[in-house]
Amino acid sequence: HFFKAAQLAHLEIELTASLGKRTKFQRKSLPQLKLETNLSTVESQAKPQVIPLDKDSVLLEDGIHFDDAQHNNPDHQTPAQTPDQIALRQAIVLALCLDVKNSNPEKEGLTAQEMRAYVDAACASAQNWMVFSTAILIKCRLEASSAYSADRAALQLEVLVSQHSTMCTKEQDARLNKDDAPVQERIKFLSVLDYPAIWEAKSELAYAMMNLGALVSAAEQFAQISQWDDVVECYAAAGRRSEALKVLESQDKNPNLLCVLAEIQDESQYFETAWQDSRYRCARAARGLGRFHARAKNWQLAAEWFAKALAVAPHAPATWFDTGIAHMRLALVKEDPEHSWREAARCFSRAASQEPDDADSWANLAAVLIQVRDLKPAASALDAAIRLRPDDWRLWKMLQEDP
């Protein structure tokens, strides 16, 4: 449907490559992914504020600098494009950008590079406040995963959130400045854009602050949209135990808040209450009880509670790992440890399959497979662990001792 919309709007796009530079210190131009379109590059006056990169960032301010310096294809220019036509075509480009995300693995680096080409083409000119804001928002999400631009992404999100509620009516048009737009301009293309509501935007900003370690600021943002579970989590992670408890006392205790209270006060009874109140569906409560019993060296109860947590939420590599540890401990004290070793191997295998970059899961899997004399799969698991952590002398010692 997106390509049909592009055809009806006479939008011509071509994903190609062009020589360009990505960083300040890059001397030689290298092939970079680029989207050529027939969009006009004439800008309107009203657009959201764009936050610059830090001065010490190695990235270039405007992204990739292409040698030809143009996103539009001069051979396919469409004459007499009105601002609304251009804005509509930009909205279609952004829809195609999200289609790239939906059609490819999200963690694949090439997916982000391809999406960035679409966003850069849409950002080449600002024709409508909402369309440009959506392009900047997608750009923020792409930049948030990079250590070089995560700070700028969070600041840009903060600007978008602050401008989200800066509404202007027709009677206020005379007092508009260059960065403002009247409400009729902001909602003109809202139905064709994937732009979040104010509470969703604030939530996204708060999570970005959490990732940067600004936990108190994140808690304040969460408090504005009444996400009290996350407020308590932020205060607890920031070491502000009294403030976390104050929020907990003022709120009705749902299972998630009971789990946070149990973690703060290290009381298993709150985990048990959360497990019962959730009708035995709160995996966090079961995990908490499992870890509580593991700290008390009660490995049998720990394994049972971890199993209950995995029955509710099986895609949890950390819980599979903890369960494997519990079965390893049980195998060391049982007279017939074969079943516990096998269970530990199964748990570590699930943990490694769900988190292939975790060297500890592969190493423990190799160790328990050696115990049950499955030497060929043990060697494969040990090789995977060594590839991930080649400087760990314990792995090399295990390889040397492997019969």
Short mmCIF file of all heavy atoms in Angstrom, two decimals, residues 314-356:
data_model
loop_
_atom_site.label_atom_id
_atom_site.label_comp_id
_atom_site.label_asym_id
_atom_site.label_seq_id
_atom_site.Cartn_x
_atom_site.Cartn_y
_atom_site.Cartn_z
N PRO A 314 8.64 -17.51 29.10
CA PRO A 314 9.77 -18.38 28.74
C PRO A 314 10.92 -17.66 28.04
O PRO A 314 12.04 -18.17 28.04
CB PRO A 314 9.14 -19.42 27.82
CG PRO A 314 7.92 -18.76 27.27
CD PRO A 314 7.43 -17.83 28.34
N HIS A 315 10.65 -16.50 27.44
CA HIS A 315 11.74 -15.78 26.76
C HIS A 315 12.43 -14.88 27.78
O HIS A 315 12.22 -13.67 27.83
CB HIS A 315 11.21 -14.96 25.59
CG HIS A 315 12.31 -14.40 24.74
ND1 HIS A 315 13.02 -15.16 23.84
CD2 HIS A 315 12.84 -13.16 24.66
CE1 HIS A 315 13.92 -14.41 23.24
NE2 HIS A 315 13.84 -13.20 23.73
N ALA A 316 13.27 -15.48 28.61
CA ALA A 316 13.97 -14.77 29.66
C ALA A 316 15.32 -15.44 29.87
O ALA A 316 15.45 -16.34 30.72
CB ALA A 316 13.16 -14.75 30.95
N PRO A 317 16.34 -15.07 29.08
CA PRO A 317 17.63 -15.76 29.16
C PRO A 317 18.27 -15.70 30.54
O PRO A 317 18.91 -16.67 30.97
CB PRO A 317 18.49 -15.03 28.11
CG PRO A 317 17.78 -13.75 27.81
CD PRO A 317 16.34 -14.03 28.04
N ALA A 318 18.10 -14.57 31.26
CA ALA A 318 18.69 -14.47 32.60
C ALA A 318 18.05 -15.48 33.55
O ALA A 318 18.74 -16.07 34.40
CB ALA A 318 18.52 -13.05 33.14
N THR A 319 16.74 -15.70 33.41
CA THR A 319 16.06 -16.66 34.28
C THR A 319 16.47 -18.09 33.94
O THR A 319 16.64 -18.93 34.83
CB THR A 319 14.54 -16.50 34.18
OG1 THR A 319 14.19 -15.12 34.38
CG2 THR A 319 13.83 -17.34 35.22
N TRP A 320 16.63 -18.39 32.65
CA TRP A 320 17.12 -19.70 32.27
C TRP A 320 18.52 -19.94 32.85
O TRP A 320 18.84 -21.03 33.31
CB TRP A 320 17.16 -19.83 30.74
CG TRP A 320 15.83 -20.10 30.11
CD1 TRP A 320 15.10 -19.24 29.33
CD2 TRP A 320 15.06 -21.31 30.18
NE1 TRP A 320 13.94 -19.82 28.93
CE2 TRP A 320 13.88 -21.10 29.43
CE3 TRP A 320 15.25 -22.53 30.80
CZ2 TRP A 320 12.90 -22.07 29.29
CZ3 TRP A 320 14.28 -23.52 30.67
CH2 TRP A 320 13.13 -23.28 29.92
N PHE A 321 19.34 -18.89 32.82
CA PHE A 321 20.69 -19.01 33.37
C PHE A 321 20.63 -19.28 34.87
O PHE A 321 21.34 -20.16 35.38
CB PHE A 321 21.47 -17.73 33.08
CG PHE A 321 22.91 -17.77 33.51
CD1 PHE A 321 23.89 -18.25 32.66
CD2 PHE A 321 23.29 -17.33 34.76
CE1 PHE A 321 25.21 -18.30 33.05
CE2 PHE A 321 24.61 -17.37 35.18
CZ PHE A 321 25.59 -17.87 34.31
N ASP A 322 19.80 -18.51 35.58
CA ASP A 322 19.68 -18.71 37.03
C ASP A 322 19.17 -20.11 37.35
O ASP A 322 19.60 -20.74 38.34
CB ASP A 322 18.75 -17.66 37.63
CG ASP A 322 19.35 -16.26 37.59
OD1 ASP A 322 20.58 -16.15 37.50
OD2 ASP A 322 18.58 -15.29 37.65
N THR A 323 18.23 -20.60 36.54
CA THR A 323 17.72 -21.96 36.76
C THR A 323 18.81 -23.00 36.56
O THR A 323 18.91 -23.98 37.32
CB THR A 323 16.55 -22.24 35.81
OG1 THR A 323 15.61 -21.15 35.84
CG2 THR A 323 15.82 -23.52 36.21
N GLY A 324 19.63 -22.77 35.53
CA GLY A 324 20.75 -23.68 35.32
C GLY A 324 21.73 -23.70 36.49
O GLY A 324 22.22 -24.76 36.88
N ILE A 325 21.98 -22.53 37.07
CA ILE A 325 22.86 -22.46 38.23
C ILE A 325 22.27 -23.24 39.40
O ILE A 325 22.97 -23.98 40.12
CB ILE A 325 23.10 -20.99 38.64
CG1 ILE A 325 23.90 -20.26 37.55
CG2 ILE A 325 23.81 -20.90 39.98
CD1 ILE A 325 25.31 -20.73 37.40
N ALA A 326 20.96 -23.11 39.60
CA ALA A 326 20.31 -23.83 40.69
C ALA A 326 20.44 -25.34 40.51
O ALA A 326 20.73 -26.08 41.46
CB ALA A 326 18.84 -23.42 40.78
N HIS A 327 20.25 -25.82 39.28
CA HIS A 327 20.37 -27.26 39.03
C HIS A 327 21.82 -27.72 39.16
O HIS A 327 22.08 -28.86 39.58
CB HIS A 327 19.81 -27.61 37.66
CG HIS A 327 18.32 -27.62 37.61
ND1 HIS A 327 17.56 -28.56 38.27
CD2 HIS A 327 17.42 -26.80 36.98
CE1 HIS A 327 16.26 -28.34 38.05
NE2 HIS A 327 16.15 -27.27 37.27
N MET A 328 22.77 -26.88 38.80
CA MET A 328 24.17 -27.23 39.01
C MET A 328 24.46 -27.41 40.50
O MET A 328 25.15 -28.37 40.90
CB MET A 328 25.08 -26.14 38.43
CG MET A 328 25.23 -26.16 36.93
SD MET A 328 26.37 -24.87 36.35
CE MET A 328 27.93 -25.49 36.99
N ARG A 329 23.95 -26.50 41.31
CA ARG A 329 24.17 -26.62 42.75
C ARG A 329 23.51 -27.86 43.32
O ARG A 329 24.07 -28.52 44.22
CB ARG A 329 23.61 -25.37 43.44
CG ARG A 329 24.30 -24.07 43.05
CD ARG A 329 25.71 -24.02 43.60
NE ARG A 329 26.32 -22.72 43.35
CZ ARG A 329 27.52 -22.37 43.77
NH1 ARG A 329 28.25 -23.24 44.46
NH2 ARG A 329 28.01 -21.17 43.51
N LEU A 330 22.33 -28.19 42.81
CA LEU A 330 21.65 -29.40 43.28
C LEU A 330 22.43 -30.65 42.88
O LEU A 330 22.49 -31.63 43.65
CB LEU A 330 20.23 -29.46 42.70
CG LEU A 330 19.22 -28.48 43.29
CD1 LEU A 330 17.92 -28.51 42.49
CD2 LEU A 330 18.95 -28.80 44.76
N ALA A 331 23.03 -30.63 41.69
CA ALA A 331 23.78 -31.80 41.23
C ALA A 331 24.99 -32.08 42.12
O ALA A 331 25.42 -33.24 42.25
CB ALA A 331 24.24 -31.59 39.79
N LEU A 332 25.53 -31.04 42.73
CA LEU A 332 26.72 -31.21 43.57
C LEU A 332 26.40 -31.86 44.92
O LEU A 332 27.32 -32.35 45.58
CB LEU A 332 27.40 -29.85 43.80
CG LEU A 332 27.97 -29.16 42.54
CD1 LEU A 332 28.50 -27.78 42.90
CD2 LEU A 332 29.06 -30.02 41.93
N VAL A 333 25.13 -31.85 45.32
CA VAL A 333 24.77 -32.39 46.64
C VAL A 333 23.91 -33.64 46.55
O VAL A 333 23.67 -34.29 47.56
CB VAL A 333 24.04 -31.32 47.49
CG1 VAL A 333 24.94 -30.13 47.74
CG2 VAL A 333 22.74 -30.88 46.82
N LYS A 334 23.46 -34.00 45.35
CA LYS A 334 22.60 -35.18 45.21
C LYS A 334 23.45 -36.44 45.04
O LYS A 334 24.54 -36.41 44.46
CB LYS A 334 21.67 -35.02 44.00
CG LYS A 334 20.50 -34.08 44.25
CD LYS A 334 19.55 -34.09 43.05
CE LYS A 334 18.31 -33.26 43.32
NZ LYS A 334 17.39 -33.27 42.16
N GLU A 335 22.90 -37.54 45.52
CA GLU A 335 23.58 -38.81 45.34
C GLU A 335 23.52 -39.28 43.89
O GLU A 335 24.44 -39.92 43.40
CB GLU A 335 22.94 -39.87 46.25
CG GLU A 335 23.14 -39.60 47.74
CD GLU A 335 22.54 -40.68 48.60
OE1 GLU A 335 21.95 -41.64 48.02
OE2 GLU A 335 22.64 -40.59 49.84
N ASP A 336 22.41 -38.98 43.23
CA ASP A 336 22.28 -39.32 41.81
C ASP A 336 22.09 -38.00 41.04
O ASP A 336 20.96 -37.55 40.81
CB ASP A 336 21.08 -40.24 41.59
CG ASP A 336 20.97 -40.69 40.14
OD1 ASP A 336 21.94 -40.48 39.38
OD2 ASP A 336 19.91 -41.24 39.76
N PRO A 337 23.19 -37.37 40.61
CA PRO A 337 23.09 -36.02 40.04
C PRO A 337 22.78 -35.97 38.55
O PRO A 337 22.70 -34.89 37.98
CB PRO A 337 24.49 -35.47 40.30
CG PRO A 337 25.38 -36.66 40.22
CD PRO A 337 24.57 -37.81 40.76
N GLU A 338 22.61 -37.13 37.91
CA GLU A 338 22.46 -37.16 36.45
C GLU A 338 21.31 -36.27 35.97
O GLU A 338 21.45 -35.48 35.03
CB GLU A 338 22.23 -38.60 35.99
CG GLU A 338 22.04 -38.78 34.48
CD GLU A 338 23.33 -38.63 33.70
OE1 GLU A 338 24.41 -38.66 34.33
OE2 GLU A 338 23.26 -38.46 32.48
N HIS A 339 20.14 -36.40 36.63
CA HIS A 339 18.98 -35.61 36.20
C HIS A 339 19.24 -34.12 36.36
O HIS A 339 18.86 -33.32 35.48
CB HIS A 339 17.75 -36.02 37.01
CG HIS A 339 16.53 -35.20 36.70
ND1 HIS A 339 15.82 -35.31 35.53
CD2 HIS A 339 15.90 -34.21 37.43
CE1 HIS A 339 14.82 -34.46 35.53
NE2 HIS A 339 14.84 -33.79 36.67
N SER A 340 19.88 -33.70 37.45
CA SER A 340 20.15 -32.28 37.66
C SER A 340 21.14 -31.74 36.63
O SER A 340 20.98 -30.62 36.15
CB SER A 340 20.69 -32.06 39.08
OG SER A 340 19.71 -32.37 40.05
N TRP A 341 22.15 -32.55 36.28
CA TRP A 341 23.08 -32.11 35.24
C TRP A 341 22.36 -31.93 33.91
O TRP A 341 22.60 -30.96 33.17
CB TRP A 341 24.22 -33.12 35.08
CG TRP A 341 25.25 -33.12 36.17
CD1 TRP A 341 25.64 -34.19 36.92
CD2 TRP A 341 26.04 -32.01 36.63
NE1 TRP A 341 26.61 -33.83 37.82
CE2 TRP A 341 26.89 -32.49 37.66
CE3 TRP A 341 26.12 -30.67 36.28
CZ2 TRP A 341 27.79 -31.68 38.33
CZ3 TRP A 341 27.03 -29.85 36.95
CH2 TRP A 341 27.85 -30.36 37.96
N ARG A 342 21.49 -32.85 33.58
CA ARG A 342 20.73 -32.76 32.33
C ARG A 342 19.82 -31.53 32.31
O ARG A 342 19.70 -30.84 31.29
CB ARG A 342 19.89 -34.02 32.13
CG ARG A 342 20.69 -35.30 31.90
CD ARG A 342 21.34 -35.29 30.54
NE ARG A 342 22.09 -36.52 30.31
CZ ARG A 342 22.82 -36.75 29.23
NH1 ARG A 342 22.87 -35.83 28.27
NH2 ARG A 342 23.49 -37.88 29.09
N GLU A 343 19.18 -31.27 33.44
CA GLU A 343 18.32 -30.08 33.53
C GLU A 343 19.15 -28.80 33.42
O GLU A 343 18.74 -27.84 32.77
CB GLU A 343 17.55 -30.09 34.85
CG GLU A 343 16.34 -30.99 34.85
CD GLU A 343 15.30 -30.54 33.83
OE1 GLU A 343 14.87 -29.38 33.89
OE2 GLU A 343 14.94 -31.35 32.95
N ALA A 344 20.32 -28.79 34.04
CA ALA A 344 21.20 -27.62 33.93
C ALA A 344 21.63 -27.40 32.48
O ALA A 344 21.65 -26.27 31.99
CB ALA A 344 22.41 -27.80 34.83
N ALA A 345 21.96 -28.51 31.79
CA ALA A 345 22.35 -28.39 30.38
C ALA A 345 21.21 -27.83 29.54
O ALA A 345 21.41 -26.98 28.66
CB ALA A 345 22.78 -29.76 29.85
N ARG A 346 19.99 -28.29 29.81
CA ARG A 346 18.83 -27.78 29.06
C ARG A 346 18.63 -26.29 29.30
O ARG A 346 18.36 -25.53 28.36
CB ARG A 346 17.57 -28.56 29.47
CG ARG A 346 16.31 -28.20 28.71
CD ARG A 346 15.14 -29.03 29.17
NE ARG A 346 14.73 -28.66 30.51
CZ ARG A 346 13.85 -27.67 30.79
NH1 ARG A 346 13.32 -26.96 29.79
NH2 ARG A 346 13.51 -27.41 32.03
N CYS A 347 18.77 -25.87 30.54
CA CYS A 347 18.56 -24.46 30.89
C CYS A 347 19.63 -23.57 30.25
O CYS A 347 19.33 -22.51 29.68
CB CYS A 347 18.56 -24.28 32.40
SG CYS A 347 17.17 -25.07 33.23
N PHE A 348 20.90 -23.99 30.33
CA PHE A 348 21.97 -23.19 29.74
C PHE A 348 21.86 -23.16 28.21
O PHE A 348 22.21 -22.17 27.58
CB PHE A 348 23.33 -23.72 30.17
CG PHE A 348 23.66 -23.44 31.61
CD1 PHE A 348 24.09 -24.44 32.45
CD2 PHE A 348 23.53 -22.15 32.13
CE1 PHE A 348 24.39 -24.19 33.77
CE2 PHE A 348 23.83 -21.88 33.46
CZ PHE A 348 24.26 -22.91 34.28
N SER A 349 21.38 -24.26 27.65
CA SER A 349 21.17 -24.29 26.20
C SER A 349 20.10 -23.29 25.78
O SER A 349 20.26 -22.57 24.77
CB SER A 349 20.77 -25.70 25.76
OG SER A 349 20.51 -25.75 24.38
N ARG A 350 19.01 -23.21 26.55
CA ARG A 350 17.96 -22.22 26.24
C ARG A 350 18.48 -20.80 26.43
O ARG A 350 18.19 -19.90 25.63
CB ARG A 350 16.75 -22.46 27.14
CG ARG A 350 15.99 -23.73 26.83
CD ARG A 350 15.27 -23.65 25.49
NE ARG A 350 14.25 -22.62 25.46
CZ ARG A 350 12.97 -22.82 25.80
NH1 ARG A 350 12.58 -24.01 26.22
NH2 ARG A 350 12.10 -21.84 25.73
N ALA A 351 19.27 -20.58 27.48
CA ALA A 351 19.83 -19.25 27.72
C ALA A 351 20.75 -18.84 26.59
O ALA A 351 20.70 -17.70 26.10
CB ALA A 351 20.57 -19.22 29.05
N ALA A 352 21.58 -19.76 26.12
CA ALA A 352 22.52 -19.45 25.03
C ALA A 352 21.79 -19.22 23.71
O ALA A 352 22.19 -18.38 22.90
CB ALA A 352 23.54 -20.57 24.89
N SER A 353 20.72 -19.96 23.48
CA SER A 353 19.97 -19.78 22.22
C SER A 353 19.23 -18.44 22.20
O SER A 353 19.08 -17.82 21.15
CB SER A 353 18.98 -20.93 22.04
OG SER A 353 17.99 -20.93 23.06
N GLN A 354 18.78 -17.99 23.36
CA GLN A 354 18.08 -16.72 23.42
C GLN A 354 19.04 -15.53 23.50
O GLN A 354 18.69 -14.42 23.10
CB GLN A 354 17.14 -16.70 24.64
CG GLN A 354 15.99 -17.68 24.53
CD GLN A 354 15.06 -17.63 25.73
OE1 GLN A 354 15.16 -16.76 26.58
NE2 GLN A 354 14.13 -18.58 25.80
N GLU A 355 20.23 -15.76 24.03
CA GLU A 355 21.24 -14.69 24.14
C GLU A 355 22.57 -15.25 23.63
O GLU A 355 23.45 -15.62 24.41
CB GLU A 355 21.36 -14.23 25.59
CG GLU A 355 22.10 -12.92 25.76
CD GLU A 355 21.29 -11.74 25.26
OE1 GLU A 355 20.06 -11.71 25.48
OE2 GLU A 355 21.89 -10.84 24.66
N PRO A 356 22.74 -15.33 22.30
CA PRO A 356 23.93 -16.01 21.74
C PRO A 356 25.25 -15.33 22.08
O PRO A 356 26.31 -15.97 21.95
CB PRO A 356 23.67 -15.96 20.22
CG PRO A 356 22.21 -15.71 20.07
CD PRO A 356 21.81 -14.89 21.25
#
